[in-house]
Amino acid sequence: MKKTRVMIVDDQFISRKFFEMYIEPSDRYEVAYSVESAAFADTYVLKNNIDLVIMDILMNDGTNGLRAAERIKKNSPDTRVIAVTSMPEPSWLGRARSIGVDSFWYKEASKETIINVMDRTMMGESVYPDSAPETNIGIARSSEMTERELEVLKLMTTGIPNAAIAEKLEISENTVKNHIHNMLEKTGCSNRTELAIEARVNGIAVKID
């Protein structure tokens, strides 16, 4: 039986080895490539007849797995893509769906194994969790944040001032300040900088291009 050719794209060596460990004993899959950057993932797919890509989202070299996945789905629509991440950034689920990523798997939080998700994906299913995993921001749970607060928080983690956040979100600077005040009250963080660091460290508000 012809095996499904899999490419692993993940900047973490341990993660790549984890996926390889699961895939290599399988009689259904083979690891065709295992790379640490999404920079040329779409080119690998085009040149090497890849059937399935396991794509991490945020890479240390700054490459964006969702953007790479979008190129793959555009240029090689028959290639299945599973987005994987350990970060509970909630907006990535919707973005992955919108660009046609076939399935989405959280590395630490998913109850289903990656092999099961691969099997279901190759059978034509779109396997997505109902929501991102919950995590803590200070003394608050991520689910306590409103969608607008998370948008503000995501921009805060980039270090831009309130005026720039207001301009990007097309709201007033006073509204931005009110959102930040509410988040400080919820989380117990003492200031804007501490709040942004907590959010970034816990992966709840991560901005990618």
Side-chain angles (χ1 to χ4, degrees):
M1 181 179 69
K2 181 182 177 182
K3 291 187 176 184
T4 297
R5 289 170 57 79
V6 181
M7 182 168 73
I8 301 163
V9 186
D10 197 306
D11 63 333
Q12 297 294 322
F13 175 80
I14 292 175
S15 291
R16 293 197 305 277
K17 290 301 177 185
F18 165 83
F19 291 126
E20 291 170 14
M21 179 185 71
Y22 268 86
I23 294 168
E24 286 173 346
S26 170
D27 59 1
R28 302 184 300 281
Y29 302 100
E30 64 178 352
V31 177
Y33 286 94
S34 185
V35 298
E36 62 185 11
S37 172
F40 304 107
D42 54 321
T43 304
Y44 276 106
V45 169
L46 280 172
K47 292 184 175 181
N48 296 283
N49 298 316
I50 302 298
D51 302 304
L52 173 65
V53 180
I54 297 174
M55 178 72 74
D56 192 21
I57 294 176
L58 186 64
M59 312 280 174
N60 284 331
D61 65 354
T63 54
N64 176 340
L66 290 180
R67 182 170 289 178
E70 185 173 20
R71 293 195 300 268
I72 290 169
K73 296 304 293 183
K74 179 180 179 181
N75 298 323
S76 307
D78 291 335
T79 300
R80 307 290 171 86
V81 179
I82 302 173
V84 300
T85 186
S86 58
M87 295 188 176
E89 163 57 62
S91 69
W92 290 353
L93 281 170
R95 185 167 174 185
R97 283 188 186 277
S98 70
I99 63 178
V101 169
D102 298 277
S103 296
F104 200 107
W105 189 75
Y106 285 105
K107 294 179 183 177
E108 282 86 14
S110 294
K111 295 179 180 178
E112 195 164 7
T113 68
I114 186 61
I115 287 290
N116 286 342
V117 174
M118 290 165 63
D119 287 342
R120 292 175 63 188
T121 301
M122 293 309 297
M123 290 174 64
E125 287 189 64
S126 183
V127 186
Y128 273 76
D130 294 330
S131 60
E134 274 202 295
T135 189
N136 291 327
I137 309 177
I139 60 174
R141 298 294 286 168
S142 53
S143 58
E144 296 176 47
M145 301 294 177
T146 67
E147 185 175 346
R148 180 60 92 181
E149 286 171 350
L150 289 172
E151 289 175 340
V152 171
L153 191 53
K154 190 181 301 183
L155 290 170
M156 282 174 56
T157 63
T158 68
I160 64 174
N162 291 348
I165 294 174
E167 183 178 354
K168 285 182 177 293
L169 296 179
E170 298 181 342
I171 57 179
S172 71
E173 189 171 352
N174 280 337
T175 300
V176 172
K177 290 178 180 177
N178 286 337
H179 283 312
I180 294 173
H181 173 76
N182 291 338
M183 287 189 285
L184 291 174
E185 289 286 313
K186 290 177 183 179
T187 63
C189 292
S190 58
N191 54 56
R192 185 184 192 279
T193 301
E194 183 182 346
L195 176 60
I197 291 172
E198 278 280 331
R200 184 64 178 81
V201 167
N202 287 289
I204 191 60
V206 183
K207 183 168 173 35
I208 57 176
D209 295 331

